[in-house]
Amino acid sequence: MAIHRKRMTFAAMFALGAAICAMVPASAASSQAVPTRLGDLTLENGYPSRETADRLYDEMDFQRATQAYLWALPAVGFKALYDAQAKTLGAANGEIMFYRDLADKAGMLTPNITTLYAFSFWDLAKQGAMVVDVPEGLTAGGVLDIWQQPITDMGQTGPDKGKGGKYLILPPGSPDVDAPGYLVFRAPSNQVWFGTRGLDPDKAKAEATLRKFSIYGWDQRAAPAATKFSDVGGRAWQSAQPDTLEYWKLLAELYADEPVAPRDRMMFGMLAPLGIAPGQPFAPDARQTKILTDAAKVGELMARTVAYDKRTQGASVYPGKQWEYAVLFDLDQEAPDKTRVQFDERSSWFYEAIGMSAGMQGRIVGFGQVYLETSKDKDGNWLDGGKTYRMRVEPNPPVKQFWSITLYDNVTRGPVMTDQGAADLSSRKPDLVTNADGSVDVFFGPERPANAPNWIKTTPGKGWFPYFRFYAATEAYFDKSWQLNDIELVK
């Protein structure tokens, strides 16, 4: 039997399609709830709803800002130290300020208390190329850029090798200079920081050597003005990176007139929606202010975790012990194979400390410094200011100069401050008591234990962590034939 096929007109097909669509409720076809760790997020025909888009942008900017907090720690640490010296302590660029003792260094991140520090700042964009005339003698330091990357070491670990020399620091992008007799380096940033320490065991000699340093402009080299020296004099100051909106203000101020390195452009791209851009005024709106404020608080806690609960491979110094390397990154802050920036490694250090140099890397036998730290006792428990501990330093520590142990507050990262007026012990301490075999027992706690001449006071209700420093470490440190003992709870 033949079947008759009747063709449907275009108009009829259109009418049929419209009728079918009319039978399907629009809401059932267009709305979708997607479960996520942020809760259910609503899509409308595959597009984010207005509420979802706003929520995701807030979350995106918050996440970016927390990571930017970790990224910016060295730069904000530089800026905070500059502001403390220039604005709080009143030192001009090119003026060298001495930090002598516990009172002077109370506002500093993890300083040593044994040696005399000397700091100065310089703005190459405003003041031109800088000359640092380094004297012969026992000093160690250098010049750093705004990311606390060393431009050059000076003194024992620098190219002058403690014999002295004239260093010329050129601005970024400036023409080369013919400078016979000068050690010439180019800075990647306009603002730079000079820092050094006097290492002579005689404090008077150490200061006399530091007073022979001279800082002046290249254009003044024919007749440089005398360098001015000043003292902190026990005045209160602090340079810890804030966990408030002030953190971002410092970053924006620092980049008012600074070139942006290629590796930092991605982060500035992430911060642009939050009102932070190089060369632009920082004036966040209400939304940006809330996100940046919240991110600074969480970012600081992330930094604290990265510093005290390290997850970096190779952080442990001795198998089965709690001591860790404080410095876990290279001078350029990049992995040796150049595949990544050492993000967590530099965050850990610059949350706790300031400055970096070849000498501070702890890799030079017989020169420079080694920094070991721990935040836990032998049993793996956090160090508690309300408990009493003991640590034995074995005989013949592997140092050509001296060793020291210094206690720091785990929140401020500055020296532990108590009515004892001491936060450290060192092999240069005149009243350090040694055992018959040459070992040293050091006690930590809120009260001095009986028969404990070497004691550092701590505060109940507060955590603390120590740095153990080897100055001019010898081979026995590097081959681990001499090892630090863990800090043990006295039960």
Side-chain angles (χ1 to χ4, degrees), residues 105-126:
K105 299 175 181 178
M108 192 180 300
L109 298 181
T110 55
N112 84 62
I113 314 301
T114 307
T115 61
L116 175 62
Y117 284 175
F119 294 167
S120 187
F121 289 87
W122 191 270
D123 191 326
L124 297 165
K126 296 177 181 177

Side-chain angles (χ1 to χ4, degrees), residues 403-427:
W403 62 262
S404 71
I405 185 167
T406 310
L407 272 55
Y408 303 102
D409 183 297
N410 66 342
V411 177
T412 68
R413 291 96 74 200
V416 166
M417 303 298 290
T418 67
D419 57 6
Q420 183 190 29
D424 77 317
L425 287 169
S426 84
S427 57

Side-chain angles (χ1 to χ4, degrees), residues 457-474:
K457 188 172 185 177
T458 60
T459 303
K462 290 188 175 185
W464 57 274
F465 67 99
Y467 271 17
F468 194 99
R469 290 172 168 89
F470 301 78
Y471 282 83
T474 58

Side-chain angles (χ1 to χ4, degrees), residues 67-281:
Q67 298 310 299
Y69 186 97
L70 298 175
W71 158 75
L73 281 167
V76 176
F78 174 99
K79 173 63 172 169
L81 183 62
Y82 171 82
D83 280 1
Q85 183 153 318
K87 298 178 181 179
T88 303
L89 301 175
N93 279 358
E95 179 179 340
I96 295 177
M97 177 157 280
F98 286 143
Y99 298 77
R100 299 179 179 280
D101 52 22
L102 178 61
D104 286 355
K105 299 175 181 178
M108 192 180 300
L109 298 181
T110 55
N112 84 62
I113 314 301
T114 307
T115 61
L116 175 62
Y117 284 175
F119 294 167
S120 187
F121 289 87
W122 191 270
D123 191 326
L124 297 165
K126 296 177 181 177
Q127 298 172 269
M130 175 178 70
V131 176
V132 182
D133 195 341
V134 177
E136 181 178 2
L138 296 176
T139 68
V143 175
L144 293 81
D145 69 10
I146 60 172
W147 286 94
Q148 301 195 49
Q149 296 176 122
I151 298 165
T152 178
D153 271 42
M154 297 173 173
Q156 286 192 326
T157 57
D160 68 282
K161 301 186 183 303
K163 301 299 183 182
K166 293 181 183 291
Y167 289 75
L168 173 60
I169 310 300
L170 299 175
S174 66
D176 290 336
V177 172
D178 184 25
Y182 288 79
L183 295 160
V184 182
F185 298 88
R186 186 175 299 280
S189 64
N190 288 315
Q191 297 174 81
V192 296
W193 168 33
F194 160 78
T196 193
R197 58 174 68 82
L199 294 174
D200 196 294
D202 185 316
K203 291 185 176 181
K205 290 182 180 179
E207 181 170 342
T209 301
L210 292 187
R211 286 189 177 275
K212 294 177 183 177
F213 274 84
S214 183
I215 297 177
Y216 52 89
W218 171 247
D219 58 358
Q220 301 169 338
R221 62 191 181 280
T227 298
K228 182 179 178 181
F229 295 86
S230 59
D231 282 281
V232 175
R235 288 175 287 173
W237 65 282
Q238 69 85 29
S239 65
Q241 300 95 333
D243 62 353
T244 63
L245 189 67
E246 181 70 12
Y247 186 91
W248 310 107
K249 180 174 178 286
L250 291 174
L251 178 63
E253 287 179 354
L254 181 62
Y255 268 91
D257 184 26
E258 288 289 355
V260 179
R263 77 180 184 195
D264 296 319
R265 292 171 188 164
M266 179 66 76
M267 278 298 186
F268 276 116
M270 291 185 176
L271 289 173
L274 286 162
I276 299 174
Q280 300 298 316

